[in-house]
Amino acid sequence: MGVESLLVFIIVGAIAGWLAGLIVSGFGFGLIGNIIVGIVGAFIAGWLFPRIGFSIGGGVIASIIHATIGAIILLVLVKVLKRA
């Protein structure tokens, strides 16, 4: 993985984590936390979407949407487990 790819990966993770934090109220993790939530969300969506036959497309915007949906799933699961 090149430096440019790593930088895009981090930026997409930060944006996705930030958007997911806005959508799922009650979550604010700061820059590093948003990056981690976005990257983990991208892995969740990357694992889940092919299994259900869902495809967004390619490109940076599609990657951000993909990672955001995965991060929302992650934050909702954390919220549910926190209440239990």
Side-chain angles (χ1 to χ4, degrees), residues 4 8 14 17 20-22 25 28 31-32 38-39 45 50 55 57 64 68 81 84:
E4 297 87 10
V8 169
L22 290 177
S25 62
L31 180 62
I32 302 298
I39 291 172
S55 176
I64 292 171
T68 301
L81 292 175

Side-chain angles (χ1 to χ4, degrees), residues 27-51:
F27 287 95
F29 298 110
L31 180 62
I32 302 298
N34 285 341
I35 291 171
I36 293 170
V37 167
I39 291 172
V40 171
F43 282 115
I44 290 172
W47 175 81
L48 181 64
F49 287 177
R51 283 167 175 66

Side-chain angles (χ1 to χ4, degrees), residues 23-83:
I23 294 170
V24 180
S25 62
F27 287 95
F29 298 110
L31 180 62
I32 302 298
N34 285 341
I35 291 171
I36 293 170
V37 167
I39 291 172
V40 171
F43 282 115
I44 290 172
W47 175 81
L48 181 64
F49 287 177
R51 283 167 175 66
I52 61 174
F54 185 71
S55 176
I56 294 175
V60 176
I61 300 298
S63 296
I64 292 171
I65 294 169
H66 189 260
T68 301
I69 293 170
I72 290 169
I73 293 169
L74 173 68
L75 292 180
V76 168
L77 286 174
V78 167
K79 200 174 203 180
V80 167
L81 292 175
K82 216 174 181 183
R83 287 185 182 175

